[in-house]
Amino acid sequence: MSASSTSPTFRHLLFVLLTLGGIYHAAPWPTVQAVLNAFLVLGLAPEFRSPLVGAFWSAAAGWVLEGTMRAYPHLGGTALGNLTVTLLAVWVLAQWPPSQRKAFWARLAALAVVHALLVHLAVRLACGPHSWGSGWLWTLLTVPLWGTVAFKLHQPLYRR
Amino acid sequence: MRERPWGWNPSGRRRWGITVLFVGHVGWVFLGQGSAVRWQNLLGILSRPSQAVSARIEGWKHARGQRIGDHARAWAEIQVLRQRVEYLQSAAIQDAQRRVEADEAVRLLGLKQLLPLETRGARIIANLRRAPFGGMVLDHGEDAGIVPDQGIISPEGVVGRVWSVVHKQASVLPLDSFNASTAVMLARSRATGVLQGVGPGRAEIRYVSSQEVVQVGEPVYTSGLDRVFPRGLLVGYVSAVKPRDVELGLEVTLAAPLDRLHLVLLLSPNPPMQVQPPSEPVATLRKRSEK
């Protein structure tokens, strides 16, 4: 991923804001929050030309999710997991640019598993044992949905 | 000139930014352990619209679940009631025959109390009047002391007479049989004649002079001359009057519903020709006998 340009496109930014708003307003439905969070972290944030911007939005999504979920006594774990996985996804995108949609889905699924594990590890470090819920399962099941949206709306850098 | 990776250039600043962001979060997670109450309260205030929408959706779901539960309970109750109605209907069908017989028995008992004759109740166990050479079969026979030519009556009217008797059964010759003859008289003219059966539920009176004045609808009673029935038992009603040369052709519709009878009364053999019906109600007679 090139670092020559730091300004994201307006459409990309609008999409991220909408997803972040979705995470915020979907507080009563944690499953929907988990899916939107994974979409932002794995599908949208890595597509920013600047990994710093992507990491920032990713961390913001984590803070919003934890803050609205009101399930943890200490926050920050989800944000740390989010930005770590976003940086990992940026690196993976730069190393192996996707060329086919299904391959992209597979990569997103693998990254979703890593994301779930990292987030839960970070949350455990931040605030101790907690319930896992079924968000990770719905995230995996809906990879073809949000993965296709991410693949179509935001072309990888090598295709721009 | 090549840029230094961690220098103060765009790429270096980005690296520093990412590092600060990451390290800041790691430090917060491992070392900070700060309270989340303020941040959660802030987001909680901002998320009130979505919570209101959520509350409405949850309320709708709850109401819907309640409606579905009510509907399911109502449906189950309907099924139970339907089964109960079916059970009651089948029970009513099963009890209908018994109710008819019970009503008949009550009326028969009333008749028995009104008649100053020795009578015996009997059940019709087979009614084969419509079959060729058919008749009715009673559940009593020689074992109960029944003999041929005992008169048989019902609350509605005269039925016929005992035709033949075996050990535990007796066959009945109904009034409408072709070979049945009964001494009768007309209610108004007191003219006597012989009733002969002509078909199901019908009979005709023979040997009534053509000079007699008979009206359609006139009751026909037993005359007592055949010593099978006492005088005055209702037989039927005149349904047609056909004047002929010597005698009147009188058609009679029988009063007793011969097809629907289940219980009958057997009169004693050779009853008196004339019996006096009680002039006082049966209840009064009973009280007097108790005294």
Side-chain angles (χ1 to χ4, degrees), chain B residues 42-121:
Chain B
L42 175 63
L43 290 178
I45 291 168
L46 296 175
S47 66
R48 278 178 184 168
S50 62
Q51 287 176 359
V53 172
S54 166
R56 280 181 178 274
I57 292 174
E58 290 301 320
W60 174 78
K61 282 168 66 179
H62 176 70
R64 182 171 169 271
Q66 208 163 16
R67 280 199 301 272
I68 291 173
D70 291 345
H71 182 265
R73 279 192 293 277
W75 184 250
E77 197 170 349
I78 286 172
Q79 294 300 323
V80 170
L81 290 175
R82 191 171 289 169
Q83 288 176 354
R84 196 168 170 186
V85 167
E86 286 176 0
Y87 169 75
L88 290 175
Q89 282 177 341
S90 63
I93 291 171
Q94 288 175 355
D95 290 344
Q97 181 72 18
R98 277 184 286 182
R99 279 207 304 275
V100 168
E101 283 197 19
D103 292 343
E104 211 168 344
V106 168
R107 282 184 282 129
L108 213 61
L109 277 175
L111 176 66
K112 190 173 182 178
Q113 288 177 341
L114 283 174
L115 280 179
L117 290 170
E118 186 184 346
T119 55
R120 166 189 285 275

Coordinates of all heavy atoms in Angstrom, one line a residue, chain B residues 42-121:
Chain B
L42 N -21.5 9.1 28.3 CA -21.5 10.0 27.2 C -22.2 9.3 26.0 O -23.1 9.9 25.4 CB -20.1 10.5 26.8 CG -20.1 11.4 25.6 CD1 -20.9 12.7 25.8 CD2 -18.6 11.7 25.2
L43 N -21.7 8.2 25.7 CA -22.3 7.4 24.6 C -23.7 7.0 24.9 O -24.5 7.0 23.9 CB -21.4 6.2 24.3 CG -20.0 6.5 23.7 CD1 -19.3 5.2 23.4 CD2 -20.2 7.2 22.4
G44 N -24.0 6.7 26.1 CA -25.4 6.4 26.5 C -26.3 7.5 26.2 O -27.4 7.3 25.7
I45 N -25.9 8.7 26.6 CA -26.8 9.9 26.3 C -27.0 10.1 24.8 O -28.1 10.3 24.3 CB -26.1 11.2 26.9 CG1 -26.2 11.1 28.5 CG2 -26.8 12.4 26.4 CD1 -25.4 12.1 29.2
L46 N -25.9 9.9 24.0 CA -26.0 10.1 22.6 C -26.8 9.0 21.9 O -27.3 9.2 20.8 CB -24.6 10.2 22.0 CG -23.7 11.4 22.4 CD1 -22.3 11.2 21.9 CD2 -24.4 12.7 22.0
S47 N -26.9 7.9 22.6 CA -27.5 6.7 21.9 C -29.0 6.6 22.3 O -29.6 5.6 22.1 CB -26.8 5.4 22.2 OG -26.9 5.1 23.6
R48 N -29.5 7.6 23.0 CA -30.9 7.5 23.4 C -31.9 7.3 22.3 O -32.9 6.6 22.4 CB -31.3 8.8 24.3 CG -30.9 8.6 25.7 CD -31.2 9.8 26.5 NE -30.6 9.6 27.9 CZ -30.5 10.6 28.8 NH1 -30.9 11.8 28.4 NH2 -30.0 10.4 29.9
P49 N -31.7 8.0 21.1 CA -32.7 7.8 20.0 C -32.7 6.3 19.6 O -33.8 5.8 19.4 CB -32.2 8.7 18.9 CG -31.4 9.8 19.6 CD -30.8 9.1 20.8
S50 N -31.5 5.8 19.5 CA -31.5 4.4 19.0 C -32.1 3.5 20.1 O -32.7 2.5 19.8 CB -30.1 3.9 18.7 OG -29.3 4.0 19.8
Q51 N -31.9 3.8 21.4 CA -32.5 3.0 22.4 C -34.0 3.1 22.4 O -34.7 2.2 22.7 CB -31.9 3.5 23.8 CG -30.5 3.0 24.0 CD -29.9 3.5 25.3 OE1 -30.6 4.2 26.0 NE2 -28.6 3.2 25.5
A52 N -34.5 4.3 22.1 CA -35.9 4.5 22.0 C -36.5 3.6 20.9 O -37.5 2.9 21.1 CB -36.3 5.9 21.8
V53 N -35.8 3.6 19.7 CA -36.2 2.8 18.6 C -36.2 1.3 19.1 O -37.1 0.5 18.8 CB -35.4 3.0 17.4 CG1 -35.7 2.0 16.3 CG2 -35.6 4.4 16.9
S54 N -35.1 1.0 19.7 CA -35.0 -0.4 20.2 C -36.1 -0.8 21.1 O -36.6 -1.9 21.1 CB -33.6 -0.6 20.9 OG -33.6 -1.8 21.6
A55 N -36.4 0.1 22.1 CA -37.5 -0.2 23.0 C -38.8 -0.4 22.3 O -39.6 -1.3 22.6 CB -37.6 1.0 24.0
R56 N -39.0 0.4 21.2 CA -40.3 0.2 20.5 C -40.3 -1.1 19.8 O -41.3 -1.8 19.8 CB -40.4 1.4 19.4 CG -40.9 2.7 20.0 CD -41.1 3.7 18.9 NE -41.6 4.9 19.4 CZ -42.9 5.2 19.5 NH1 -43.8 4.3 19.2 NH2 -43.3 6.3 20.0
I57 N -39.1 -1.5 19.2 CA -39.1 -2.8 18.5 C -39.3 -3.9 19.5 O -40.0 -4.9 19.2 CB -37.7 -2.9 17.8 CG1 -37.7 -1.9 16.6 CG2 -37.5 -4.3 17.3 CD1 -36.4 -1.8 15.9
E58 N -38.6 -3.8 20.7 CA -38.7 -4.9 21.7 C -40.2 -4.9 22.2 O -40.7 -6.0 22.4 CB -37.8 -4.6 22.8 CG -36.3 -4.8 22.5 CD -36.0 -6.2 22.0 OE1 -36.6 -7.2 22.5 OE2 -35.3 -6.3 21.0
G59 N -40.8 -3.8 22.4 CA -42.2 -3.8 22.8 C -43.1 -4.4 21.8 O -44.0 -5.2 22.1
W60 N -42.8 -4.1 20.5 CA -43.6 -4.7 19.4 C -43.4 -6.2 19.4 O -44.4 -7.0 19.3 CB -43.2 -4.1 18.1 CG -43.9 -4.8 16.9 CD1 -45.1 -4.6 16.5 CD2 -43.3 -5.8 16.1 NE1 -45.4 -5.4 15.4 CE2 -44.3 -6.1 15.1 CE3 -42.0 -6.3 16.0 CZ2 -44.0 -7.1 14.1 CZ3 -41.8 -7.3 15.0 CH2 -42.8 -7.6 14.1
K61 N -42.2 -6.6 19.6 CA -41.9 -8.1 19.6 C -42.6 -8.7 20.8 O -43.1 -9.8 20.7 CB -40.4 -8.3 19.7 CG -39.7 -8.1 18.4 CD -38.2 -8.1 18.5 CE -37.6 -9.4 18.9 NZ -36.1 -9.4 19.0
H62 N -42.5 -8.1 21.9 CA -43.2 -8.6 23.1 C -44.7 -8.8 22.9 O -45.3 -9.8 23.2 CB -42.9 -7.7 24.3 CG -43.6 -8.2 25.6 ND1 -43.2 -9.3 26.3 CD2 -44.6 -7.7 26.3 CE1 -44.0 -9.5 27.3 NE2 -44.9 -8.5 27.3
A63 N -45.3 -7.7 22.4 CA -46.7 -7.7 22.2 C -47.1 -8.8 21.1 O -48.1 -9.5 21.3 CB -47.2 -6.3 21.7
R64 N -46.2 -8.9 20.1 CA -46.5 -9.9 19.1 C -46.4 -11.3 19.7 O -47.3 -12.1 19.4 CB -45.5 -9.7 18.0 CG -45.7 -10.7 16.8 CD -44.8 -10.3 15.7 NE -44.7 -11.3 14.6 CZ -43.9 -12.3 14.6 NH1 -43.0 -12.4 15.6 NH2 -43.9 -13.2 13.7
G65 N -45.4 -11.5 20.5 CA -45.2 -12.8 21.2 C -46.4 -13.1 22.1 O -46.9 -14.2 22.1
Q66 N -46.9 -12.0 22.7 CA -48.1 -12.2 23.6 C -49.3 -12.6 22.8 O -50.1 -13.5 23.2 CB -48.3 -10.9 24.4 CG -49.0 -11.2 25.7 CD -48.9 -10.0 26.6 OE1 -48.5 -8.9 26.2 NE2 -49.1 -10.2 27.9
R67 N -49.5 -11.9 21.7 CA -50.6 -12.1 20.8 C -50.5 -13.6 20.3 O -51.5 -14.3 20.2 CB -50.7 -11.2 19.6 CG -51.2 -9.8 20.0 CD -51.7 -9.1 18.8 NE -50.6 -8.9 17.8 CZ -49.8 -7.9 17.8 NH1 -49.9 -6.9 18.8 NH2 -48.8 -7.7 16.9
I68 N -49.3 -14.0 19.9 CA -49.2 -15.3 19.4 C -49.5 -16.3 20.5 O -50.2 -17.3 20.2 CB -47.8 -15.5 18.8 CG1 -47.6 -14.7 17.6 CG2 -47.5 -17.0 18.6 CD1 -46.2 -14.7 17.0
G69 N -49.0 -16.0 21.7 CA -49.3 -16.9 22.8 C -50.8 -17.0 23.1 O -51.4 -18.1 23.3
D70 N -51.5 -15.8 23.1 CA -52.9 -15.8 23.3 C -53.6 -16.6 22.2 O -54.6 -17.3 22.5 CB -53.4 -14.3 23.3 CG -52.9 -13.6 24.5 OD1 -52.4 -14.3 25.5 OD2 -53.0 -12.3 24.5
H71 N -53.2 -16.4 21.0 CA -53.8 -17.1 19.9 C -53.6 -18.6 20.1 O -54.6 -19.4 19.9 CB -53.2 -16.6 18.6 CG -53.8 -17.2 17.4 ND1 -53.3 -18.4 16.8 CD2 -54.9 -16.9 16.7 CE1 -54.0 -18.7 15.8 NE2 -55.0 -17.9 15.7
A72 N -52.4 -19.0 20.5 CA -52.2 -20.4 20.6 C -53.0 -21.0 21.8 O -53.6 -22.1 21.6 CB -50.7 -20.7 20.9
R73 N -53.1 -20.2 22.9 CA -54.0 -20.7 24.0 C -55.4 -20.8 23.6 O -56.1 -21.7 23.9 CB -53.8 -19.8 25.2 CG -52.5 -20.1 26.0 CD -52.6 -19.3 27.3 NE -52.5 -17.9 27.1 CZ -51.4 -17.2 26.9 NH1 -50.2 -17.9 27.0 NH2 -51.3 -15.9 26.8
A74 N -55.9 -19.7 22.8 CA -57.3 -19.7 22.4 C -57.5 -20.9 21.4 O -58.6 -21.6 21.5 CB -57.6 -18.4 21.7
W75 N -56.6 -21.2 20.6 CA -56.7 -22.3 19.6 C -56.8 -23.6 20.4 O -57.6 -24.5 20.1 CB -55.6 -22.3 18.6 CG -55.7 -23.3 17.6 CD1 -55.0 -24.5 17.4 CD2 -56.7 -23.4 16.5 NE1 -55.4 -25.2 16.4 CE2 -56.4 -24.5 15.8 CE3 -57.7 -22.5 16.1 CZ2 -57.2 -24.9 14.7 CZ3 -58.5 -22.9 15.0 CH2 -58.2 -24.0 14.3
A76 N -55.9 -23.8 21.4 CA -55.9 -25.0 22.2 C -57.3 -25.1 22.9 O -57.8 -26.2 23.0 CB -54.8 -25.0 23.2
E77 N -57.8 -24.0 23.4 CA -59.1 -24.0 24.1 C -60.2 -24.4 23.2 O -61.1 -25.2 23.5 CB -59.3 -22.7 24.7 CG -60.4 -22.7 25.8 CD -60.5 -21.4 26.5 OE1 -59.6 -20.5 26.4 OE2 -61.4 -21.2 27.3
I78 N -60.1 -23.9 21.9 CA -61.1 -24.2 20.9 C -61.1 -25.7 20.6 O -62.1 -26.4 20.5 CB -60.9 -23.4 19.7 CG1 -61.3 -22.0 19.9 CG2 -61.6 -24.0 18.5 CD1 -61.0 -21.0 18.8
Q79 N -59.8 -26.3 20.5 CA -59.7 -27.7 20.3 C -60.4 -28.5 21.4 O -61.1 -29.5 21.1 CB -58.3 -28.1 20.1 CG -57.6 -27.5 18.9 CD -58.3 -27.9 17.6 OE1 -58.7 -29.0 17.4 NE2 -58.4 -27.0 16.6
V80 N -60.1 -28.1 22.6 CA -60.6 -28.8 23.8 C -62.2 -28.7 23.7 O -62.9 -29.7 23.9 CB -60.1 -28.2 25.1 CG1 -60.8 -28.8 26.3 CG2 -58.6 -28.5 25.2
L81 N -62.7 -27.5 23.5 CA -64.1 -27.4 23.4 C -64.7 -28.1 22.3 O -65.8 -28.7 22.4 CB -64.5 -25.9 23.3 CG -64.2 -25.0 24.5 CD1 -64.5 -23.6 24.2 CD2 -65.1 -25.5 25.7
R82 N -64.0 -28.2 21.2 CA -64.5 -28.9 20.0 C -64.6 -30.4 20.4 O -65.6 -31.1 20.1 CB -63.6 -28.7 18.8 CG -64.1 -29.2 17.5 CD -63.3 -28.7 16.4 NE -63.4 -27.3 16.1 CZ -62.6 -26.6 15.3 NH1 -61.6 -27.2 14.7 NH2 -62.8 -25.4 15.1
Q83 N -63.6 -30.9 21.0 CA -63.6 -32.3 21.4 C -64.7 -32.6 22.4 O -65.4 -33.6 22.3 CB -62.3 -32.7 22.1 CG -61.1 -32.8 21.1 CD -59.8 -33.1 21.7 OE1 -59.8 -33.1 23.0 NE2 -58.8 -33.3 21.0
R84 N -64.9 -31.6 23.3 CA -66.0 -31.8 24.3 C -67.4 -31.8 23.6 O -68.2 -32.6 24.0 CB -65.9 -30.6 25.3 CG -66.7 -30.9 26.6 CD -66.3 -29.9 27.6 NE -67.2 -30.0 28.8 CZ -67.2 -29.2 29.8 NH1 -66.3 -28.2 29.8 NH2 -68.0 -29.3 30.8
V85 N -67.5 -30.9 22.6 CA -68.8 -30.8 21.9 C -69.0 -32.1 21.2 O -70.1 -32.7 21.2 CB -68.8 -29.6 21.0 CG1 -70.0 -29.7 20.0 CG2 -68.9 -28.3 21.7
E86 N -68.0 -32.6 20.5 CA -68.1 -33.9 19.8 C -68.5 -35.0 20.8 O -69.4 -35.8 20.5 CB -66.8 -34.2 19.1 CG -66.6 -33.4 17.9 CD -65.2 -33.7 17.2 OE1 -64.5 -34.5 17.8 OE2 -64.9 -33.0 16.2
Y87 N -67.9 -35.0 21.9 CA -68.2 -36.0 22.9 C -69.6 -35.9 23.4 O -70.3 -36.9 23.5 CB -67.2 -35.9 24.1 CG -67.6 -36.7 25.3 CD1 -67.4 -38.1 25.3 CD2 -68.2 -36.2 26.4 CE1 -67.8 -38.9 26.4 CE2 -68.6 -36.9 27.5 CZ -68.4 -38.3 27.5 OH -68.8 -39.1 28.5
L88 N -70.1 -34.7 23.7 CA -71.4 -34.5 24.1 C -72.4 -34.8 23.0 O -73.5 -35.4 23.3 CB -71.6 -33.0 24.6 CG -70.9 -32.6 25.8 CD1 -71.1 -31.1 26.1 CD2 -71.4 -33.4 27.0
Q89 N -72.1 -34.5 21.8 CA -73.0 -34.9 20.7 C -73.1 -36.4 20.6 O -74.2 -36.9 20.4 CB -72.4 -34.3 19.4 CG -72.7 -32.8 19.2 CD -72.2 -32.2 18.0 OE1 -71.2 -32.8 17.4 NE2 -72.7 -31.1 17.6
S90 N -71.9 -37.1 20.6 CA -72.0 -38.5 20.5 C -72.8 -39.1 21.7 O -73.6 -40.1 21.6 CB -70.6 -39.1 20.4 OG -69.9 -38.9 21.6
A91 N -72.6 -38.5 22.9 CA -73.3 -39.0 24.1 C -74.8 -38.8 23.9 O -75.6 -39.6 24.3 CB -72.8 -38.3 25.3
A92 N -75.1 -37.6 23.3 CA -76.5 -37.3 23.2 C -77.2 -38.2 22.2 O -78.3 -38.7 22.4 CB -76.7 -35.8 22.7
I93 N -76.4 -38.6 21.1 CA -76.9 -39.5 20.1 C -77.1 -40.9 20.8 O -78.1 -41.6 20.6 CB -75.9 -39.6 18.9 CG1 -76.0 -38.3 18.1 CG2 -76.3 -40.8 18.1 CD1 -74.9 -38.3 17.1
Q94 N -76.1 -41.3 21.7 CA -76.3 -42.6 22.3 C -77.4 -42.5 23.3 O -78.1 -43.6 23.5 CB -75.0 -42.9 23.1 CG -73.9 -43.3 22.1 CD -72.6 -43.5 22.8 OE1 -72.5 -43.2 24.0 NE2 -71.5 -43.9 22.1
D95 N -77.7 -41.4 23.9 CA -78.7 -41.3 25.0 C -80.1 -41.1 24.4 O -81.1 -41.1 25.1 CB -78.4 -40.2 26.0 CG -77.2 -40.6 26.8 OD1 -76.9 -41.8 26.8 OD2 -76.6 -39.7 27.5
A96 N -80.2 -40.7 23.1 CA -81.4 -40.3 22.5 C -82.4 -41.4 22.6 O -83.6 -41.2 23.0 CB -81.2 -39.9 21.0
Q97 N -82.0 -42.6 22.3 CA -82.9 -43.8 22.3 C -83.4 -44.0 23.7 O -84.6 -44.3 23.9 CB -82.1 -45.0 21.8 CG -82.9 -46.3 21.8 CD -83.9 -46.3 20.7 OE1 -83.8 -45.5 19.7 NE2 -85.0 -47.1 20.8
R98 N -82.5 -43.9 24.7 CA -82.9 -44.1 26.1 C -83.8 -43.1 26.5 O -84.8 -43.3 27.3 CB -81.6 -44.2 27.0 CG -81.0 -45.5 27.0 CD -79.8 -45.6 27.9 NE -78.7 -44.8 27.4 CZ -77.5 -44.7 28.0 NH1 -77.4 -45.3 29.2 NH2 -76.6 -44.1 27.5
R99 N -83.6 -41.8 26.1 CA -84.5 -40.7 26.5 C -85.9 -41.0 25.9 O -86.9 -40.8 26.6 CB -84.0 -39.4 26.0 CG -82.9 -38.8 26.9 CD -82.9 -37.3 26.8 NE -82.7 -36.9 25.4 CZ -81.5 -36.8 24.8 NH1 -80.4 -37.0 25.5 NH2 -81.4 -36.4 23.5
V100 N -86.0 -41.4 24.7 CA -87.3 -41.7 24.0 C -88.0 -42.8 24.8 O -89.2 -42.7 25.2 CB -87.1 -42.2 22.6 CG1 -88.3 -42.7 22.0 CG2 -86.6 -41.0 21.7
E101 N -87.2 -43.8 25.2 CA -87.8 -44.9 26.0 C -88.3 -44.5 27.3 O -89.3 -44.9 27.9 CB -86.9 -46.1 26.1 CG -86.8 -46.9 24.8 CD -86.1 -48.3 25.0 OE1 -86.1 -48.7 26.2 OE2 -85.7 -48.9 24.1
A102 N -87.4 -43.6 27.9 CA -87.8 -43.1 29.2 C -89.1 -42.2 29.2 O -90.0 -42.4 30.0 CB -86.6 -42.2 29.8
D103 N -89.2 -41.4 28.1 CA -90.4 -40.6 28.0 C -91.6 -41.5 27.8 O -92.7 -41.3 28.4 CB -90.3 -39.7 26.8 CG -89.3 -38.6 27.1 OD1 -88.9 -38.4 28.2 OD2 -88.8 -37.9 26.1
E104 N -91.3 -42.5 27.0 CA -92.4 -43.5 26.7 C -92.8 -44.2 28.0 O -94.0 -44.4 28.3 CB -91.9 -44.5 25.7 CG -93.0 -45.0 24.8 CD -92.5 -45.8 23.6 OE1 -91.2 -45.6 23.4 OE2 -93.2 -46.5 23.0
A105 N -91.8 -44.6 28.8 CA -92.1 -45.3 30.1 C -92.9 -44.4 31.0 O -93.8 -44.8 31.7 CB -90.8 -45.7 30.7
V106 N -92.6 -43.1 31.0 CA -93.3 -42.2 31.9 C -94.7 -42.1 31.5 O -95.7 -42.2 32.3 CB -92.6 -40.8 31.9 CG1 -93.5 -39.7 32.5 CG2 -91.3 -40.8 32.6
R107 N -95.0 -41.9 30.2 CA -96.3 -41.9 29.7 C -97.1 -43.2 30.0 O -98.3 -43.2 30.3 CB -96.3 -41.5 28.2 CG -96.1 -40.0 28.0 CD -96.2 -39.7 26.5 NE -95.0 -40.1 25.8 CZ -95.0 -40.8 24.7 NH1 -96.1 -41.1 24.2 NH2 -93.8 -41.1 24.1
L108 N -96.3 -44.3 29.8 CA -96.9 -45.6 30.1 C -97.4 -45.7 31.5 O -98.4 -46.3 31.8 CB -95.9 -46.7 29.7 CG -96.5 -47.9 29.1 CD1 -97.3 -47.6 27.8 CD2 -95.4 -48.9 28.8
L109 N -96.5 -45.2 32.4 CA -96.8 -45.3 33.8 C -98.1 -44.5 34.1 O -98.9 -44.9 34.9 CB -95.6 -44.8 34.6 CG -94.5 -45.8 34.9 CD1 -93.4 -45.2 35.6 CD2 -95.1 -47.0 35.8
G110 N -98.1 -43.3 33.5 CA -99.3 -42.5 33.7 C -100.6 -43.2 33.2 O -101.6 -43.2 33.9
L111 N -100.5 -43.8 32.1 CA -101.6 -44.6 31.6 C -102.0 -45.7 32.5 O -103.2 -46.0 32.8 CB -101.3 -45.1 30.2 CG -102.3 -46.0 29.5 CD1 -103.6 -45.2 29.2 CD2 -101.8 -46.6 28.2
K112 N -101.0 -46.4 33.0 CA -101.2 -47.5 33.9 C -101.9 -47.1 35.2 O -102.8 -47.8 35.7 CB -99.9 -48.2 34.2 CG -100.0 -49.5 35.0 CD -98.7 -50.2 35.1 CE -98.8 -51.5 35.8 NZ -97.6 -52.2 35.9
Q113 N -101.6 -45.9 35.6 CA -102.2 -45.4 36.9 C -103.7 -45.0 36.6 O -104.5 -45.0 37.5 CB -101.4 -44.3 37.5 CG -100.1 -44.8 38.1 CD -99.3 -43.6 38.6 OE1 -99.5 -42.5 38.2 NE2 -98.3 -43.9 39.5
L114 N -103.9 -44.5 35.4 CA -105.2 -44.1 35.0 C -106.2 -45.2 34.8 O -107.4 -45.1 35.1 CB -105.2 -43.2 33.8 CG -104.7 -41.8 34.0 CD1 -104.6 -41.1 32.6 CD2 -105.6 -41.0 34.9
L115 N -105.7 -46.3 34.3 CA -106.6 -47.4 33.9 C -106.9 -48.3 35.1 O -106.0 -48.8 35.8 CB -105.9 -48.3 32.8 CG -106.0 -47.8 31.4 CD1 -105.2 -48.8 30.5 CD2 -107.4 -47.7 31.0
P116 N -108.1 -48.5 35.4 CA -108.5 -49.4 36.5 C -108.4 -50.9 36.1 O -109.4 -51.6 36.3 CB -109.9 -49.0 36.9 CG -110.5 -48.4 35.6 CD -109.3 -47.9 34.8
L117 N -107.3 -51.3 35.5 CA -107.2 -52.6 35.0 C -105.8 -53.2 35.4 O -104.9 -52.4 35.6 CB -107.3 -52.7 33.5 CG -108.6 -52.4 32.8 CD1 -108.4 -52.2 31.3 CD2 -109.6 -53.5 33.1
E118 N -105.8 -54.5 35.5 CA -104.5 -55.1 35.7 C -103.7 -55.1 34.4 O -104.2 -55.7 33.4 CB -104.7 -56.5 36.3 CG -103.4 -57.1 36.7 CD -103.6 -58.6 37.2 OE1 -104.7 -59.0 37.4 OE2 -102.6 -59.3 37.3
T119 N -102.6 -54.5 34.4 CA -101.8 -54.4 33.2 C -100.3 -54.8 33.5 O -99.9 -54.9 34.7 CB -101.7 -53.0 32.6 OG1 -101.3 -52.1 33.6 CG2 -103.1 -52.5 32.2
R120 N -99.6 -55.1 32.4 CA -98.2 -55.5 32.6 C -97.4 -54.8 31.5 O -97.8 -54.8 30.3 CB -98.1 -57.0 32.4 CG -96.7 -57.5 32.2 CD -96.7 -59.0 31.9 NE -96.9 -59.8 33.0 CZ -96.0 -60.2 33.9 NH1 -94.7 -59.8 33.7 NH2 -96.3 -60.9 34.9
G121 N -96.3 -54.2 31.8 CA -95.5 -53.6 30.8 C -94.6 -54.6 30.1 O -94.2 -55.6 30.6

